[in-house]
C-alpha cells in the first residue's frame, strides 16, 4: 500500500491560499450585501445617560442603527450554556473601554464608518480600576468554566517545606497579551425566513451554532455556521462574540445580509486577551535535588462580569514527581473585557514560572538543569496517579542536548562570550495535554471515482485539510477531497485545546476503513467480480482498485463495483471518541527546548541565536505541517519572552497601542534557524492512530528557556516578562 500518512506533503489548500482563491469569511461573495460598523464605549466605567443616533440615521447610505437597547446582552455572553434570563430592563452600564454598544448598517463600508462617527453618547463616568491594586480579589472555587477545581493539593505543603534543604521562593509575572491573528474576526449574517446562515471566523462552527441559537432564542437547526478558512485563531476565535450577535440582529433589521469585520483596534477589546499574571512559586528540594514541595499561586485579572482564570498551574500539578503540592488561583476584577484562552492558556504562562524556578534551583544546588529535571522525572502522572499513555520526555532532553551541544556548556555565569556579546545557553521542558473529543466523519465514494470525506471540523491554518486528506487517501487507496467548516456536516469538536488531530484523525481513519471494507464485501459477494469469494484480509487497495495480495491480477475497481450494483455512490458515517481504556492513562505530549542567546550588555538587547526543539507528540501525520506548527509555536515563545505586552493606560482605563505596529511581535530578523525534531512515538492508548496534541505544545517552555539563557549569559534573573532592554541595564 502507498504510504501517505506521515509524508511531508505540501498543504492541499496551499495553492488556493497563495493565489487568493481561498475565500476567507470576509471575502465570501454575497449578493445584496450591506456593511455594519460597530460603535463602542469611550470610557472605562459608568453609565449611558443618552445615546443620540439621529445624525447617523440620516447620513448617506444608512439603512439602520441598532443599539444595545435592541439586542440581547452584548456584555454577558453565554459561551456554552443557555443564556441568563434576559432582563427587559436594558443594561446601560459601561464595564470597560471599548464595550460594544451597537452597529450602524449602510450600503457601503465607508458610509457606515462615517455614520458611526456621528453617534453621540452622553455618559456619567464612574471610578474604575485596570490594575489588581485596589481591585476586589477572590479565590474562585472552580476555574475554566467549572471544569477544573480552583485549588489542587497533594501531600502537605508545610511538611514539604520543612523537608527541604533549599527553597526557591519567587514571584514571576507575565503581562496582558493579545492574540493578533492576521485575519481579524468577521461575520456575514444572512437570513432566509427563520433560518440564519453565518459566515464566521470561528474555531468552533458547532459551538457558535449552539451559542448564537441560544442567544437569539431560535432552534439550533435554524442556524448554519460556515468557516472554510481561518487566518489564525490562537483562542480568540473560539467563543461567540458580540460582533456576531450584532451582525445577526442587524441583518434581521435591514432584511439584507450584513457583513461586520472588526478593525485591528477592535480586536483588542472584542475577542478576549490573555490576562496578566502574578505567580508566587515556591520550590523546595533536598540537596540531592529531589523536590519536596511545589506551591504555585496564580493571580490573574478578569472582567467585572465573568470569572476567567489564566490557569497557570495546569502543568505544575503533573510535571514533576513531588509528594507535596498546592496550586491555587486568585482573581481580581478590573474594568476590562473578559480574558480568554490564548496559545497554551496556563501552560505557556505557568511553565515560564515553573521552568524558570527549576533553573534557579539547579543553580542553587549546582546541578545541571537537565539532570535536575531527570531526578524529578514523573514516571507516572503524579496528580492523577495514572500511567502515561506514552512519554518521551527523557529522549527529548537527550536528543535535544545532543543536537544543541549542551555538554559544551560552561555552567559558570557570564563565562561564555563571543567577542562583544555575552552568550547564554538555557533550556526548559514543554508539555500539553492530549484531549480527545467525539468526532463524526462521512465518507462518500462516487461511481465517478470521486471521493468526498466530510467532517464539521475546522482548519485554523494548522493543516487539518491536509492531514485528514492523507489519512483517507491512504486507507482508501485513491485521492480524496476533504471538506470541513460547515455546521451541516457531521459534528466534530471545536479547534481549540490542541484537540483536532487527536479527535478527528481517528474518526477519518475509522470511516475510511468502514467504506473500504463495505466495497470489499460487495466484491467478495459479487459473482461478477474477479474477487468473488476471496477473503477480505487478503485484499489490498491502490489507485482506486482492490486486488488480491497473492495474485494482483485478480482485481476490481470501486467504480466498477458500484456500477455493477447500480449505485451512484456509497456513503458511510462513523463516529469516534476517547476509548474507555484510554481513561486509564494520563495523556500528554512533551518536549524540550534549548536556546542560545547573545546579549548586548550596553544596549540590553537579547538576540536568540539558536534554538533546538525536540518533541514527543505521538504519531506525526505530516512532518512538514508539524514542523511549521512548531516553528510558529517557538516564534510565539520568542515573542512572549522578549516583546509581547499589551499596555493599559491607567489614567484612561484603556489599552494603548491597539494596533500591529505598537504591539511588538517577532519579525523574520528576530527569529533564528530552528532545529525541530520529533521522537517517534507509538501510543496505543490515545486513539487508533496514536496521534497526540501538538498545536499549543511548542510555545510552552520557550520563555523560560530564554530567561534561563539570559541568566546564564548575564547573571541577571528576569522574572517579569517580556525581557525588554530596560530590565537588563
Ligand atoms: Mo487554543 S488557546 O485552545 O485556541
Amino acid at each position: 500500500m502507498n504510504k501517505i500518512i506521515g509524508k511531508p506533503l505540501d498543504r492541499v489548500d496551499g495553492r488556493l491560499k497563495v493565489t487568493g482563491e481561498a475565500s476567507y469569511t470576509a471575502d465570501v461573495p454575497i449578493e445584496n450585501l450591506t456593511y455594519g460598523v460597530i460603535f463602542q464605549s469611550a470610557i472605562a466605567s459608568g453609565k449611558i445617560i443618552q445615546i443620540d443616533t439621529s445624525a447617523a440615521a440620516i447620513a448617506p447610505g444608512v439603512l439602520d442603527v441598532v443599539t444595545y437597547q435592541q439586542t440581547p446582552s452584548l456584555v454577558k455572553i453565554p459561551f456554552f450554556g443557555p443564556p441568563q434570563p434576559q432582563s427587559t430592563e436594558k443594561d446601560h452600564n459601561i464595564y470597560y473601554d471599548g464595550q460594544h454598544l451597537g452597529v450602524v448598517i449602510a450600503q457601503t463600508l465607508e458610509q457606515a464608518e462615517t455614520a458611526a462617527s456621528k453617534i453621540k453618547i452622553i455618559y456619567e463616568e464612574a471610578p474604575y480600576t485596570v490594575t489588581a491594586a485596589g481591585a476586589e480579589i477572590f479565590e474562585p472555587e472552580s476555574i475554566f468554566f467549572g471544569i477544573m477545581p480552583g485549588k489542587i493539593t497533594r501531600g502537605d505543603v508545610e511538611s514539604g517545606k520543612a523537608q527541604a534543604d533549599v527553597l526557591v521562593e519567587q514571584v514571576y509575572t507575565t503581562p496582558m497579551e493579545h492574540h493578533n491573528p492576521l485575519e481579524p474576526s468577521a461575520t456575514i449574517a444572512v437570513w432566509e425566513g427563520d433560518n440564519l446562515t453565518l459566515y464566521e471566523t470561528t474555531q468552533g462552527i458547532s459551538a457558535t451554532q449552539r451559542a448564537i441559537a441560544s442567544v437569539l432564542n431560535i432552534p439550533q437547526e435554524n442556524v448554519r455556521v460556515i468557516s472554510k478558512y481561518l487566518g489564525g485563531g490562537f483562542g480568540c476565535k473560539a467563543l461567540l462574540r458580540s460582533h456576531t450577535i450584532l451582525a445577526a440582529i442587524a441583518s434581521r433589521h435591514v432584511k439584507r445580509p450584513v457583513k461586520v469585520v472588526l478593525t485591528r483596534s477592535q480586536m483588542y477589546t472584542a475577542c478576549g486577551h490573555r490576562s496578566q499574571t502574578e505567580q508566587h512559586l515556591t520550590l523546595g528540594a533536598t540537596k540531592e535535588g529531589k523536590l519536596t514541595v511545589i506551591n504555585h499561586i496564580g493571580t490573574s485579572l478578569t472582567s467585572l462580569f465573568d470569572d476567567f482564570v489564566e490557569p497557570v498551574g495546569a502543568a505544575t500539578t503533573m510535571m514533576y514527581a513531588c509528594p507535596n503540592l498546592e496550586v491555587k488561583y486568585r482573581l481580581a476584577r478590573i474594568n476590562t473585557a473578559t480574558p480568554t484562552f490564548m496559545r497554551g492558556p496556563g501552560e505557556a504562562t505557568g511553565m515560564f514560572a515553573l521552568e524558570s524556578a527549576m533553573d534557579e534551583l539547579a543553580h542553587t544546588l549546582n546541578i545541571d538543569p537537565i539532570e535536575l529535571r531527570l531526578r524529578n522525572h514523573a514516571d507516572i502522572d503524579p496528580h492523577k496517579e495514572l500511567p502515561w499513555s506514552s512519554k518521551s520526555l527523557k529522549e527529548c532532553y537527550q536528543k535535544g542536548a545532543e543536537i544543541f551541544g549542551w555538554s559544551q556548556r560552561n555552567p559558570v555565569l557570564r563565562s561564555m562570550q563571543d567577542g562583544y556579546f555575552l552568550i547564554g545557553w538555557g533550556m526548559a521542558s514543554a508539555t500539553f495535554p492530549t484531549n480527545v473529543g467525539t468526532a463524526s466523519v462521512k465518507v462518500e465514494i462516487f461511481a465517478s471515482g470521486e471521493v468526498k470525506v466530510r467532517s464539521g471540523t475546522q482548519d485554523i491554518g494548522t493543516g487539518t485539510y491536509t492531514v485528514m486528506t492523507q489519512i483517507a487517501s491512504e486507507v482508501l487507496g485513491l485521492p480524496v477531497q476533504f471538506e470541513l467548516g460547515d455546521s451541516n456536516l457531521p459534528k466534530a469538536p471545536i479547534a481549540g485545546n490542541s484537540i483536532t488531530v487527536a479527535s478527528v484523525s481517528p474518526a477519518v481513519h475509522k470511516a475510511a476503513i468502514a467504506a473500504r471494507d463495505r466495497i470489499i464485501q460487495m466484491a467478495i459477494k459479487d459473482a461478477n467480480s474477479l474477487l468473488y469469494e476471496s477473503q477480505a484480509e487478503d485484499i489490498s487497495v491502490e489507485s482506486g482498485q482492490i486486488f488480491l495480495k497473492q495474485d494482483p491480477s485478480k482485481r476490481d475497481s470501486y467504480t466498477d463495483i458500484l456500477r455493477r450494483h447500480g449505485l451512484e455512490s456509497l456513503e458511510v458515517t462513523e463516529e469516534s471518541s476517547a476509548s474507555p481504556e484510554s481513561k486509564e492513562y494520563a495523556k500528554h505530549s512533551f518536549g524540550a527546548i534549548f536556546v542560545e542567546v547573545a546579549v548586548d550588555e550596553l544596549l540590553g538587547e537579547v538576540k536568540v541565536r539558536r534554538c533546538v526543539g525536540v518533541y514527543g507528540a505521538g504519531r506525526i501525520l505530516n512532518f512538514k505541517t508539524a514542523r511549521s506548527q512548531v516553528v510558529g509555536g517557538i516564534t510565539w515563545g520568542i515573542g512572549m519572552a522578549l516583546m509581547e505586552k499589551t499596555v493599559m493606560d491607567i489614567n484612561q482605563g484603556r489599552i494603548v497601542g491597539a494596533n500591529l505596529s505598537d504591539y511588538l511581535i517577532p519579525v523574520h530578523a528576530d527569529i533564528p534557524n530552528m532545529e525541530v525534531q520529533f521522537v517517534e512515538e507509538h501510543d496505543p492508548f490515545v486513539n487508533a492512530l496514536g496521534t497526540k496534541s501538538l498545536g499549543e505544545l511548542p510555545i510552552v517552555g520557550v520563555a523560560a528557556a530564554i530567561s534561563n539563557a539570559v541568566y546564564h549569559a548575564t547573571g541577571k534573573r528576569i522574572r517579569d516578562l517580556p525581557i525588554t532592554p530596560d530590565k537588563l541595564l
Side-chain angles (χ1 to χ4, degrees):
M1 191 194 300
N2 244 345
K3 278 274 162 222
I4 304 171
I5 300 173
K7 275 200 177 164
L9 298 184
D10 289 349
R11 284 158 194 273
V12 296
D13 50 339
R15 197 183 159 80
L16 293 177
K17 285 183 169 177
V18 298
T19 56
E21 297 238 345
S23 277
Y24 289 80
T25 296
D27 305 331
V28 174
I30 301 284
E31 271 177 36
N32 206 20
L33 189 61
T34 66
Y35 297 81
V37 166
I38 286 172
F39 51 94
Q40 301 161 273
S41 73
I43 62 165
S45 176
K47 72 177 178 224
I48 297 175
I49 301 298
Q50 198 197 20
I51 180 159
D52 178 2
T53 60
S54 55
I58 57 163
V62 170
L63 299 166
D64 206 348
V65 180
V66 173
T67 74
Y68 67 93
Q69 292 150 305
Q70 298 152 282
T71 71
S73 176
L74 300 173
V75 174
K76 181 90 185 138
I77 298 172
F79 297 128
F80 297 119
Q84 310 290 332
Q86 289 282 335
S87 156
T88 42
E89 185 68 24
K90 283 298 169 185
D91 186 353
H92 300 277
N93 293 322
I94 301 295
Y95 302 95
Y96 61 96
D97 177 82
Q99 184 176 318
H100 284 181
L101 299 177
V103 60
V104 178
I105 310 105
Q107 302 282 5
T108 70
L109 175 63
E110 293 74 12
Q111 288 170 333
E113 280 171 345
T114 307
S117 72
K118 295 180 191 293
I119 289 179
K120 292 190 195 72
I121 302 171
I122 300 171
Y123 303 96
E124 184 180 294
E125 290 194 54
Y128 59 84
T129 177
V130 291
T131 62
E136 174 203 344
I137 295 185
F138 62 103
E139 291 183 9
E141 265 183 32
S142 67
I143 67 165
F144 249 47
F145 304 96
I147 63 167
M148 287 156 87
K151 181 170 162 182
I152 293 176
T153 52
R154 65 174 181 260
D156 178 61
V157 166
E158 288 314 312
S159 69
K161 283 186 188 169
Q163 289 160 35
D165 295 317
V166 293
L167 283 177
V168 170
E169 286 189 274
Q170 292 296 348
V171 179
Y172 302 85
T173 52
T174 64
M176 183 189 210
E177 295 168 354
H178 277 82
H179 310 71
N180 276 312
L182 202 54
E183 176 204 31
S185 292
T187 302
I188 302 175
V190 185
W191 287 91
E192 283 159 290
D194 291 336
N195 294 317
L196 171 66
T197 301
L198 291 174
Y199 298 88
E200 183 71 26
T201 49
T202 179
Q203 296 171 237
I205 46 179
S206 296
T208 301
Q209 179 194 30
R210 276 196 304 277
I212 192 81
S214 125
V215 168
L216 300 179
N217 203 13
I218 59 175
Q220 253 182 60
E221 50 286 8
N222 289 15
V223 181
R224 180 177 179 191
V225 180
I226 297 174
S227 184
K228 292 289 176 184
Y229 301 99
L230 211 62
F234 317 136
C236 77
K237 293 172 183 165
L239 302 175
L240 177 69
R241 297 288 169 187
S242 58
H243 64 273
T244 305
I245 301 172
L246 279 168
I249 302 264
S251 173
R252 204 154 61 181
H253 274 247
V254 300
K255 299 188 167 57
R256 286 173 62 180
V258 172
K259 169 153 82 177
V260 172
V261 182
L262 295 185
T263 63
R264 181 57 61 182
S265 159
Q266 286 172 336
M267 289 295 291
Y268 281 76
T269 46
C271 317
H273 56 271
R274 193 197 305 270
S275 164
Q276 70 188 75
T277 71
E278 182 179 292
Q279 306 177 47
H280 290 248
L281 185 63
T282 304
L283 296 183
T286 63
K287 50 185 183 309
E288 294 77 33
K290 281 294 244 183
L291 285 169
T292 60
V293 66
I294 304 176
N295 190 4
H296 196 170
I297 301 166
T299 304
S300 54
L301 311 179
T302 190
S303 64
L304 296 185
F305 45 88
D306 280 318
D307 298 354
F308 188 95
V309 170
E310 173 74 12
V312 295
T316 311
T317 55
M318 47 60 66
M319 195 61 214
Y320 294 110
C322 175
N324 306 300
L325 170 139
E326 182 184 71
V327 165
K328 79 177 179 187
Y329 298 102
R330 294 161 15 117
L331 262 183
R333 292 203 184 286
I334 61 165
N335 292 86
T336 55
T338 304
T340 196
F341 323 104
M342 175 167 158
R343 310 183 209 148
E347 285 83 4
T349 39
M351 286 287 271
F352 164 63
L354 182 61
E355 290 296 281
S356 294
M358 284 297 277
D359 197 71
E360 301 202 37
L361 189 60
H363 277 278
T364 309
L365 292 166
N366 203 17
I367 298 175
D368 177 81
I370 300 176
E371 178 56 30
L372 179 69
R373 286 167 173 84
L374 289 172
R375 287 185 197 176
N376 294 287
H377 183 266
D379 297 329
I380 61 163
D381 182 326
H383 183 63
K384 292 184 183 149
E385 297 187 325
L386 291 174
W388 304 105
S389 64
S390 61
K391 181 176 183 179
S392 314
L393 182 57
K394 287 181 180 172
E395 293 87 330
C396 294
Y397 291 143
Q398 194 203 342
K399 204 166 167 183
E402 229 173 78
I403 299 168
F404 189 81
W406 188 257
S407 62
Q408 303 304 306
R409 178 178 183 265
N410 181 343
V412 178
L413 303 178
R414 304 178 64 89
S415 65
M416 293 173 68
Q417 300 200 359
D418 177 9
Y420 171 80
F421 296 101
L422 290 170
I423 301 299
W425 289 5
M427 60 80 58
S429 321
T431 188
F432 202 84
T434 295
N435 290 301
V436 176
T438 302
S440 290
V441 172
K442 177 154 86 175
V443 172
E444 218 173 343
I445 303 178
F446 294 89
S448 61
E450 241 193 328
V451 182
K452 286 203 179 340
V453 181
R454 299 182 172 104
S455 180
T457 179
Q458 299 81 197
D459 191 332
I460 59 178
T462 41
T464 313
Y465 276 112
T466 308
V467 296
M468 299 310 160
T469 301
Q470 286 176 262
I471 295 166
S473 299
E474 175 169 315
V475 172
L476 291 164
L478 80 173
V480 307
Q481 254 186 305
F482 187 78
E483 277 179 28
L484 52 69
D486 185 335
S487 62
N488 281 355
L489 299 176
K491 298 276 178 250
I494 191 167
N497 202 11
S498 303
I499 200 177
T500 299
V501 162
S503 308
V504 182
S505 70
V508 170
H509 194 239
K510 187 175 174 186
I513 288 175
R516 182 195 66 195
D517 289 352
R518 283 264 288 278
I519 295 265
I520 290 175
Q521 287 302 328
M522 284 162 74
I524 290 174
K525 290 182 188 136
D526 179 359
N528 293 322
S529 175
L530 291 177
L531 295 165
Y532 182 52
E533 293 192 329
S534 301
Q535 297 298 312
E537 57 272 24
D538 295 335
I539 293 175
S540 191
V541 295
E542 74 178 2
S543 311
Q545 301 208 320
I546 61 175
F547 62 94
L548 205 57
K549 288 182 230 170
Q550 301 91 321
D551 178 4
S553 70
K554 293 228 168 81
R555 53 177 61 227
D556 204 342
S557 75
Y558 288 179
T559 304
D560 291 343
I561 296 165
L562 291 175
R563 291 217 171 108
R564 285 202 306 276
H565 284 78
L567 293 173
E568 281 299 311
S569 68
L570 172 136
E571 186 183 303
V572 174
T573 302
E574 289 285 343
E575 181 181 281
S576 106
S577 44
S579 67
E581 313 84 82
S582 81
K583 294 182 179 130
E584 307 294 315
Y585 295 87
K587 301 177 286 290
H588 272 254
S589 292
F590 291 92
I593 175 83
F594 295 78
V595 300
E596 174 179 314
V597 298
V599 181
D600 178 333
E601 258 207 319
L602 289 179
L603 295 177
E605 194 185 35
V606 177
K607 174 103 187 148
V608 179
R609 281 197 174 176
R610 280 196 305 137
C611 207
V612 175
V614 182
Y615 301 90
R619 183 167 182 183
I620 299 302
L621 296 172
N622 179 325
F623 179 76
K624 196 172 197 173
T625 52
R627 181 184 181 278
S628 294
Q629 183 65 19
V630 172
V631 169
I634 294 175
T635 302
W636 282 346
I638 293 173
M640 179 182 177
L642 301 177
M643 297 169 195
E644 286 194 52
K645 177 180 186 161
T646 305
V647 180
M648 272 273 186
D649 179 348
I650 55 168
N651 297 315
Q652 299 290 335
R654 70 170 65 127
I655 291 167
V656 289
N659 55 59
L660 273 184
S661 44
D662 292 311
Y663 186 90
L664 298 186
I665 53 170
V667 297
H668 276 89
D670 299 309
I671 301 302
N673 276 326
M674 294 178 197
E675 176 74 26
V676 175
Q677 298 268 337
F678 297 99
V679 175
E680 201 176 318
E681 280 185 340
H682 300 278
D683 189 323
F685 304 113
V686 276
N687 58 41
L689 275 173
T691 49
K692 289 164 67 176
S693 57
L694 179 62
E696 289 160 276
L697 176 68
I699 189 178
V700 180
V702 179
I706 292 173
S707 174
N708 298 343
V710 167
Y711 177 69
H712 179 232
T714 64
K716 288 183 181 142
R717 177 68 69 179
I718 310 299
R719 302 184 185 88
D720 175 41
L721 293 182
I723 306 168
T724 42
D726 52 303
K727 295 174 188 169
L728 287 170
L729 295 176

